[in-house]
Amino acid sequence: MAIASKQYYATSSLVLGYALCSSLLAVINKFAITKFNYPGLLTALQYLTSAAGVWILGKFGFLHHDPFNLDTAKKFLPAALVFYLAIFTNTNLLRHANVDTFIVFRSLTPLLVAIADTAFRKQPWPSKLTFLSLVIILAGAVGYVATDNGFTLTAYSWALAYLVTITTEMVYIKHMVTNLGLNTWGFVFYNNLLSLMMAPLFWVLTGEYSDVFASLGSSSRADLFEPVAFSAVSLSCVFGLLISFFGFAARQAISATAFTVTGVVNKFLTVAINVMIWDKHATPFGLVCLLLTIAGGVLYQQSVTGGVVTAPPKQMESKNDNKAESDEEEGISGKISGV
């Protein structure tokens, strides 16, 4: 009983840490892009901070991460590519759209991830109560964003690209977490280092490198280093490191669908800050719809926690077996849903 209670609080702490970091990082990135309009460079600096931070802390003995191995890197490369695309499309979506648009497409992912988990990872279909909670989350998010008219073709294009990549990332990264055998900091190190290596390719493909060099060569180059922009970028890099740890740790503790629902519901904090600091947000009716989304998250939490009390022995057995399917079931046991 004490072990189960300790595991519950440990899982809750990981999910809460991820929820806070994810919510604040979205707001920080939105502000950083406003002051530092180079999304590719911004994400590359985040990858650099995270990879270097893990390596330096490992050298001083504050943490342990798996050493870099070429064979492991080759196996992890597809997951890192999907991760990079998810962050890249996410950043550009925030660049071209408001937070409301980001929320509604982020809210579509739990249903798609649940379907993908069942179709590709051979997981059982969600229970009726769980499926109902996912529908409520979706309905609330759609109603929330329906009150906003600030959609553009560019924003929708990035939103669609983000929806495809984030759904793929949620399922595929979960597969890598349960099968590759790296520890949490090892995943953080590999993910950010490989993503950093891919950054120059995307700078060339998007043409962002020319904008950066043009800015450095002009009289406005001081804008790249002004205190506000520097502070925003620095803060986003620190939170990028934190979310790397909490993100991978939470993935190991809960299911892909639960992880995704956490990502949806924690946007409440993002929206609250958005209402306070920007004037482009939903109407009071939209805020009611947002509360409906949160209620769906609470219902989801209740629907997945029900199985924990009835099957502790199976959880322990599945942990020892270390199978992907058992790990997924064990992941559902934990449960505080909060991005």
Side-chain angles (χ1 to χ4, degrees):
M1 190 69 179
I3 297 178
S5 177
K6 185 177 181 180
Q7 181 183 4
Y8 173 84
Y9 285 114
T11 302
S12 301
S13 299
L14 291 174
V15 175
L16 180 60
Y18 171 72
L20 291 175
C21 289
S22 180
S23 297
L24 293 176
L25 184 60
V27 176
I28 293 170
N29 280 344
K30 180 69 175 177
F31 180 69
I33 290 174
T34 303
K35 300 297 180 180
F36 188 80
N37 196 24
Y38 307 100
L41 181 57
L42 175 62
T43 54
L45 291 172
Q46 291 178 344
Y47 299 142
L48 175 61
T49 302
S50 296
V54 171
W55 184 81
I56 292 172
L57 291 174
K59 284 295 183 180
F60 283 95
F62 290 103
L63 57 86
H64 171 73
H65 67 83
D66 299 277
F68 184 82
N69 179 277
L70 187 58
D71 290 335
T72 303
K74 290 178 180 179
K75 295 177 182 178
F76 196 85
L77 184 60
L81 176 60
V82 175
F83 171 80
Y84 185 96
L85 291 174
I87 299 299
F88 180 77
T89 54
N90 173 22
T91 305
N92 279 279
L93 174 58
L94 285 173
R95 182 187 186 189
H96 294 284
N98 55 31
V99 176
D100 301 344
T101 307
F102 168 75
I103 289 175
V104 70
F105 279 89
R106 186 67 173 80
S107 300
L108 288 171
T109 54
L111 280 173
L112 298 180
V113 169
I115 294 172
D117 257 352
T118 303
F120 301 110
R121 301 193 66 239
K122 309 304 180 184
Q123 300 301 316
W125 281 100
S127 66
K128 293 180 179 180
L129 184 59
T130 301
F131 190 81
L132 175 62
S133 68
L134 295 174
V135 172
I136 291 175
I137 291 173
L138 175 61
V142 170
Y144 177 81
V145 179
T147 61
D148 178 60
N149 297 320
F151 295 116
T152 64
L153 181 60
T154 300
Y156 260 111
S157 298
W158 282 113
L160 181 60
Y162 172 70
L163 179 61
V164 173
T165 55
I166 194 63
T167 302
T168 305
E169 191 257 357
M170 287 293 174
V171 177
Y172 190 64
I173 290 287
K174 179 65 178 180
H175 171 75
M176 297 299 294
V177 166
T178 55
N179 289 281
L180 200 53
L182 296 173
N183 64 15
T184 298
W185 285 113
F187 274 108
V188 173
F189 182 67
Y190 273 89
N191 208 38
N192 286 279
L193 181 60
L194 293 177
S195 295
L196 178 63
M197 293 178 179
M198 288 184 282
L201 174 62
F202 284 87
W203 291 345
V204 174
L205 292 177
T206 61
E208 184 178 316
Y209 76 98
S210 61
D211 296 334
V212 174
F213 286 131
S215 179
L216 289 173
S218 67
S219 59
S220 63
R221 63 183 179 275
D223 294 340
L224 293 173
F225 308 103
E226 66 176 2
V228 176
F230 180 81
S231 299
V233 171
S234 300
L235 196 58
S236 71
C237 289
V238 172
F239 271 78
L241 175 60
L242 292 176
I243 199 174
S244 291
F245 169 73
F246 282 112
F248 275 116
R251 287 180 200 275
Q252 291 179 314
I254 59 178
S255 70
T257 305
F259 181 84
T260 308
V261 171
T262 304
V264 173
V265 179
N266 83 39
K267 294 309 175 197
F268 173 75
L269 178 58
T270 305
V271 172
I273 299 175
N274 180 57
V275 170
M276 291 186 290
I277 65 178
W278 281 296
D279 57 354
K280 294 183 178 180
H281 48 76
T283 63
F285 174 76
L287 296 179
V288 173
C289 292
L290 178 60
L291 293 178
L292 181 63
T293 301
I294 297 175
V298 174
L299 180 61
Y300 176 85
Q301 175 189 342
Q302 296 301 317
S303 70
V304 297
T305 2
V308 183
V309 181
T310 59
K314 189 172 184 179
Q315 292 171 12
M316 294 302 295
E317 181 181 356
S318 66
K319 187 174 182 179
N320 293 331
D321 289 343
N322 195 29
K323 295 179 181 178
E325 293 79 7
S326 300
D327 181 84
E328 185 76 12
E329 183 177 359
E330 180 187 359
I332 297 178
S333 68
K335 321 228 167 127
I336 272 194
S337 283
V339 194

